[in-house]
Amino acid sequence: QVQLQESGPGLIKPSQTLSLTCIVSGGSISSGDYYWSWIRQPPGKGLEWIGYIYYSGSTSSNPSLQSRVNISVDTSKNQFSLKLTSVTAADTAVYYCARVVHRWSGYDYYYGMDVWGQGTTVTVSS
Amino acid sequence: DIQVTQSPLSLSASVGDRVTITCRASQSIINYLNWYQQKPGKAPKLLIDAASSLQSGVPPRFSGSGSGAHFTLTISSLQPEDFATYYCQQSYNPPFTFGPGTTVDIK
């Protein structure tokens, strides 16, 4: 049974770079059946999709964050990572990693996040 | 970006009630629509993908319908464990935007 676990600092200062890692256990990140995603949730608010990565390194990111976001994968360690530069208080959130299942619809792929990490709280404050 | 809205944003219901939540996209997304359930302090859980395909292990009282830009999530008989926030998400085009969420609480 696949499990995901986020790790990283809980408190960072404004203008610094947020770095989080998601360790995948119970399955291989190199399985071509899945993408791997980051999502965040500011306190008391809704969900925001940050982006995803395929084991090959192919990525897609939210344009609202794209200039600040880097998502990478390390297949040798079975993990993927998020870097978000120049953080402000608006980046304070619970950050989740998730597995993205994709299945063929007949002419395109359906994507759904079917396994999630427990989430890690990141606070941006001086 | 495709915008996604939900209605209502909150509702109060009793155990045994039938509950319907609506999700609308700013353009046609065919049926590239997911539903998630989130309980306080927990990660979201995927309930339905492809607008109406129930995930394994999800009780059959949950159902999804719709196509194009208008979708619904229905809980046929609300159970105590169903009190939560529900989000729809379009997966037609990145960024895979979420709706604002609908909180279902106890009447």
Side-chain angles (χ1 to χ4, degrees):
Chain A
Q1 178 175 342
V2 172
Q3 293 185 310
L4 282 65
Q5 178 67 58
E6 305 91 349
S7 64
L11 177 65
I12 61 171
K13 298 183 188 307
S15 80
Q16 291 186 335
T17 295
L18 180 161
S19 294
L20 297 176
T21 296
C22 182
I23 298 172
V24 179
S25 59
S28 173
I29 203 169
S30 300
S31 166
D33 294 332
Y34 306 106
Y35 285 71
W36 305 91
S37 186
W38 289 98
I39 307 96
R40 70 180 183 178
Q41 186 169 36
K45 296 188 177 181
L47 300 164
E48 181 178 27
W49 181 81
I50 298 172
Y52 66 53
I53 190 164
Y54 199 48
Y55 77 97
S56 63
S58 172
T59 62
S60 179
S61 300
N62 194 322
S64 68
L65 301 170
Q66 199 162 26
S67 62
R68 298 195 293 131
V69 165
N70 180 263
I71 300 175
S72 60
V73 63
D74 187 336
T75 55
S76 67
K77 294 182 179 178
N78 221 38
Q79 64 186 39
F80 61 108
S81 299
L82 170 70
K83 290 190 187 301
L84 183 66
T85 62
S86 305
V87 298
T88 69
D91 296 310
T92 294
V94 176
Y95 285 76
Y96 296 100
C97 59
R99 186 180 78 173
V100 185
V101 60
H102 63 112
R103 59 187 182 89
W104 185 242
S105 72
Y107 48 87
D108 202 343
Y109 283 99
Y110 294 115
Y111 297 88
M113 291 173 283
D114 68 337
V115 179
W116 293 63
Q118 65 185 21
T120 187
T121 299
V122 177
T123 302
V124 180
S125 176
S126 55
Chain B
D1 297 1
I2 298 173
Q3 308 303 312
V4 179
T5 59
Q6 289 180 234
S7 61
L9 296 183
S10 66
L11 67 91
S12 296
S14 301
V15 173
D17 284 353
R18 181 182 181 90
V19 168
T20 299
I21 299 168
T22 297
C23 178
R24 293 182 187 271
S26 57
Q27 66 177 71
S28 174
I29 55 171
I30 310 178
N31 67 337
Y32 292 81
L33 194 283
N34 303 322
W35 289 100
Y36 298 85
Q37 177 194 65
Q38 186 180 33
K39 296 181 179 179
K42 301 295 187 182
K45 173 186 176 182
L46 180 63
L47 299 177
I48 288 169
D49 75 355
S52 61
S53 181
L54 207 64
Q55 294 297 291
S56 174
V58 175
R61 63 181 179 272
F62 290 91
S63 64
S65 65
S67 65
H70 184 206
F71 304 88
T72 58
L73 173 71
T74 299
I75 309 171
S76 60
S77 178
L78 199 65
Q79 297 303 300
E81 60 268 30
D82 301 336
F83 292 97
T85 299
Y86 294 85
Y87 294 92
C88 59
Q89 178 203 28
Q90 65 83 16
S91 63
Y92 182 70
N93 270 339
F96 293 153
T97 40
F98 290 90
T102 296
T103 299
V104 178
D105 62 21
I106 300 172
K107 195 174 200 178

